[in-house]
Amino acid sequence: MTKPLRIIVSCVVGVATFLTLLLLGMSIVQVTHTHDWFFTFLQMQILFMPMVLFLLLLAFSSGVVFFFILGYCQRMVLKPIEQPLQNLATGKYDFKITKSSIDYQPMQGIQEDIQMIRDKLQMVSKELQLSNAQPKLFNGQTKEQILTEERHRLARELHDSVSQELFAAMMLLSAMNEQARKKQVEENQQKQLTMITDIITTAQSEMRALLLHLRPVNLEGKSLKTGIVQLLIELQSKVTIQIRWQIADLHLPTIIEDQLFRVVQELLSNTLRHAKAQELEVYLNEVNQQIQLRFIDDGIGFDISKEKAGSYGLTNIRERIQGVGGTVKIISFNNQGTSVEIKVPIFKEGNVSDDSSAISR
């Protein structure tokens, strides 16, 4: 029962109580005062207030009490399924459903339905992970192989051409700035040189982010922890962002490791290109048979309710995580940073089982 409906029911109870007490009081006065009983009733007082006002307050109080009693009873009835539903919403499937302490037959049926949904979602997630782990061939090559080759080609061309040109331009500008300071050129010219230097510096950062984005999509034989840590150390040596991390040494199916590694690259690329952050925190661990990956930065943030031209990266991340049965939660506020939390269920032998007897215990 929703809160507005409870308010309506409580109002009906209050009005019914008021009318009942009013009719009862008028009946008693009519029996005891046969002459002018109505005016006598209106003049009667209880606790120094007119009887009608007293009955109105009493009816209002009964409605309020009924509202809270109804809410309490509703919470007690729904409490056994509240936590299981929250677990299903967050992709946590390893919970047990115990028999409700309230002997309410419809609730027992709902608990059984929740368990069936849990088992089906668990099985679907596992089958989804197994399905995505199977290679899909296009002209004799897998999709990942085609993407990897193209990324390598683009990365080589960008590094050998644009990146080198930007580096050469920065070296020339550094020499020009040094000569400008020695010759004490006009202030306007020095400002223009500084602006050009800033533009090229920004372009270099964009190029580093793009090259990071084009890195191989797999771990190339390394463990997930080793691959992520090497990526963070390499990034920390090239950019001014302060990076803190805590990466657990997890051993996961190949498909999950590759997708998580690729998601880390996507998130790092987005942070470098859009966040303008000074600090970044990366956490990866296992909690309750779930892989939890968290990215937290102190950048400019964004409005997640508005579509942006650069939102393709986040869409790609969601698709990758959904492809392994996981969930993505993004919290961001303008000028207050961004937090990305990713959860992926992991399944071990015997993790998907029929626990129908748990309800009856």
Side-chain angles (χ1 to χ4, degrees):
M1 183 180 295
T2 61
K3 187 175 181 180
L5 184 58
R6 280 165 44 204
I7 293 175
I8 294 174
V9 173
S10 300
C11 290
V12 172
V13 171
V15 171
T17 302
F18 174 72
L19 294 177
T20 302
L21 294 175
L22 183 64
L23 292 175
L24 180 62
M26 292 175 65
S27 300
I28 294 174
V29 173
Q30 186 179 16
V31 171
T32 56
H33 298 78
T34 56
H35 300 288
D36 298 331
W37 63 270
F38 184 74
F39 294 101
T40 303
F41 175 77
L42 293 178
Q43 294 174 358
M44 293 183 66
Q45 292 187 348
I46 298 179
L47 299 178
F48 305 104
M49 67 177 66
M51 179 177 286
V52 176
L53 180 60
F54 177 79
L55 296 179
L56 186 63
L57 291 176
L58 190 61
F60 176 78
S61 301
S62 66
V64 173
V65 171
F66 184 81
F67 174 81
F68 285 107
I69 291 176
L70 191 62
Y72 175 77
C73 294
Q74 183 178 357
R75 285 194 297 271
M76 291 300 295
V77 171
L78 297 179
K79 187 176 181 180
I81 66 171
E82 181 180 2
Q83 188 61 43
L85 288 176
Q86 291 179 353
N87 290 333
L88 288 178
T90 57
K92 181 181 177 182
Y93 306 132
D94 62 330
F95 59 89
K96 299 290 184 180
I97 302 178
T98 57
K99 183 178 179 180
S100 173
S101 59
I102 298 178
D103 189 14
Y104 183 49
Q105 189 61 33
M107 188 57 60
Q108 303 297 330
I110 292 175
Q111 288 179 311
E112 293 176 359
D113 292 340
I114 291 176
Q115 179 170 275
M116 292 177 61
I117 294 172
R118 187 277 309 270
D119 293 339
K120 289 182 179 179
L121 286 175
Q122 196 175 35
M123 186 172 298
V124 167
S125 296
K126 187 174 183 179
E127 290 178 353
L128 184 62
Q129 292 179 3
L130 293 175
S131 175
N132 287 330
Q134 301 298 323
K136 300 175 178 60
L137 299 180
F138 299 91
N139 296 325
Q141 287 184 304
T142 65
K143 178 181 176 181
E144 295 299 332
Q145 288 175 337
I146 297 173
L147 290 175
T148 299
E149 291 179 1
E150 187 64 16
R151 289 176 184 276
H152 274 300
R153 185 185 67 81
L154 290 174
R156 284 195 303 269
E157 291 184 1
L158 288 173
H159 181 270
D160 294 340
S161 59
V162 182
S163 183
Q164 296 296 334
E165 295 292 338
L166 286 174
F167 178 76
M170 179 58 71
M171 296 299 293
L172 289 174
L173 274 174
S174 298
M176 292 175 63
N177 281 324
E178 185 66 25
Q179 291 179 0
R181 282 192 295 269
K182 291 180 178 179
K183 296 181 179 180
Q184 297 181 350
V185 299
E186 296 181 3
E187 184 178 353
N188 290 335
Q189 292 181 350
Q190 288 187 356
K191 288 183 178 180
Q192 291 176 352
L193 288 173
T194 302
M195 290 176 60
I196 296 174
T197 303
D198 293 339
I199 292 173
I200 294 181
T201 301
T202 302
Q204 283 184 312
S205 297
E206 290 278 349
M207 182 57 61
R208 293 191 188 102
L210 184 57
L211 290 174
L212 174 67
H213 185 75
L214 293 173
R215 290 283 296 276
V217 297
N218 53 43
L219 291 167
E220 299 179 329
K222 299 187 291 289
S223 67
L224 181 60
K225 177 180 179 179
T226 301
I228 293 177
V229 170
Q230 288 181 354
L231 196 62
L232 294 174
I233 292 175
E234 179 183 352
L235 182 65
Q236 196 172 39
S237 65
K238 295 180 179 179
V239 297
T240 57
I241 298 179
Q242 181 180 356
I243 306 176
R244 293 191 293 271
W245 63 81
Q246 184 176 345
I247 310 297
D249 190 9
L250 306 176
H251 300 282
L252 306 172
T254 303
I255 179 63
I256 297 181
E257 288 190 343
D258 287 342
Q259 294 290 28
L260 286 175
F261 184 65
R262 186 58 187 156
V263 164
V264 170
Q265 290 178 298
E266 293 268 8
L267 288 171
L268 289 174
S269 177
N270 285 345
T271 301
L272 292 178
R273 288 184 294 172
H274 306 298
K276 299 180 181 179
Q278 300 298 320
E279 295 184 2
L280 173 65
E281 299 178 20
V282 183
Y283 302 98
L284 177 68
N285 49 49
E286 177 185 348
V287 179
N288 296 327
Q289 295 186 353
Q290 277 189 322
I291 301 302
Q292 292 187 356
L293 173 65
R294 287 190 297 155
F295 260 66
I296 305 171
D297 68 58
D298 63 345
I300 59 175
F302 63 96
D303 187 352
I304 59 177
S305 65
K306 296 180 179 179
E307 292 292 335
K308 296 176 60 179
S311 63
Y312 172 76
L314 295 178
T315 301
N316 194 23
I317 289 171
R318 286 192 177 95
E319 291 177 353
R320 288 181 178 277
I321 296 302
Q322 290 171 0
V324 290
T327 58
V328 180
K329 181 180 180 182
I330 301 174
I331 301 175
S332 183
F333 300 97
N334 289 329
N335 301 317
Q336 296 186 34
T338 301
S339 172
V340 179
E341 183 178 47
I342 293 171
K343 295 182 179 180
V344 178
I346 53 176
F347 302 102
K348 302 176 182 178
E349 292 297 327
N351 199 23
V352 181
S353 60
D354 183 16
D355 299 328
S356 58
S357 60
I359 291 276
S360 60
R361 287 199 295 269

